[in-house]
Amino acid sequence: MNDPYNVLFLCTGNSARSILAEAILNRVGAGKFRAYSAGSQPKGEVHPYALQLLKTLNHDTSLARSKDWQEFAAPGAPEMNFVFTVCDNAANEACPVWPGQPMTAHWGVPDPAAVDGTDAEKHLAFAEAYRMLNNRISIFVSLPMNTIDKLALQKRLDEIGRDLPKAG
């Protein structure tokens, strides 16, 4: 396959987790994957802590914006190969019908924007969400897409979304 695989990360607000995932995959999957993100009820802006973290880690944030998932179900939208939910709310919502019947999986990550506490605790929550997403996405991009059958691929996608084993 010469064209990159299109991947859509979904969350309710599309302001933190899905934005982080989009940025991570566009970096680590460059050339092989093209990531997008959207929300069922987009906040309309990217969470400032998400933007700050991405900038600190030298991610391109110029295209980061909070968008409605209907944008990707509309005529002329890129056809998705994969759609991943990264929050529990979006996993339980009725999703639009995606053209091309992409493979789907739930990769739930705790919402860093919901953390109450000091600025340091909030920044730590965003860093932890980034770490979890980065680990999952790194495993995903290493899968042998051209040689793995669809059933085995779906099994691996589901496994990636479950709690990862602790290092050590």
Side-chain angles (χ1 to χ4, degrees), residues 45-120:
E45 63 184 20
V46 178
H47 195 288
Y49 284 21
L51 279 177
Q52 183 180 1
L53 177 62
L54 291 173
K55 286 177 183 174
T56 299
L57 297 171
N58 296 315
H59 282 275
D60 178 9
T61 59
S62 63
L63 299 177
R65 66 183 178 89
S66 180
K67 37 205 172 299
D68 193 291
W69 65 12
Q70 291 296 335
E71 184 175 318
F72 295 96
E79 189 171 300
M80 295 299 148
N81 302 101
F82 301 93
V83 176
F84 302 126
T85 53
V86 293
C87 68
D88 292 332
N89 289 344
N92 295 323
E93 292 178 7
C95 292
V97 175
W98 306 109
Q101 299 179 328
M103 298 190 82
T104 63
H106 177 60
W107 293 356
V109 172
D111 185 2
V115 169
D116 288 324
T118 65
D119 276 352

Side-chain angles (χ1 to χ4, degrees), residues 94-161:
C95 292
V97 175
W98 306 109
Q101 299 179 328
M103 298 190 82
T104 63
H106 177 60
W107 293 356
V109 172
D111 185 2
V115 169
D116 288 324
T118 65
D119 276 352
E121 291 167 328
K122 291 175 185 179
H123 283 288
L124 183 61
F126 275 84
E128 179 62 12
Y130 182 96
R131 183 197 63 77
M132 291 175 72
L133 290 163
N134 190 58
N135 286 347
R136 290 173 176 172
I137 290 167
S138 295
I139 294 167
F140 172 63
V141 300
S142 70
L143 294 174
M145 297 295 176
N146 293 332
T147 60
I148 191 169
D149 70 68
K150 202 166 184 170
L151 190 59
L153 178 56
Q154 183 65 60
K155 182 178 182 217
R156 289 294 294 133
L157 296 177
D158 292 338
E159 288 171 354
I160 290 170

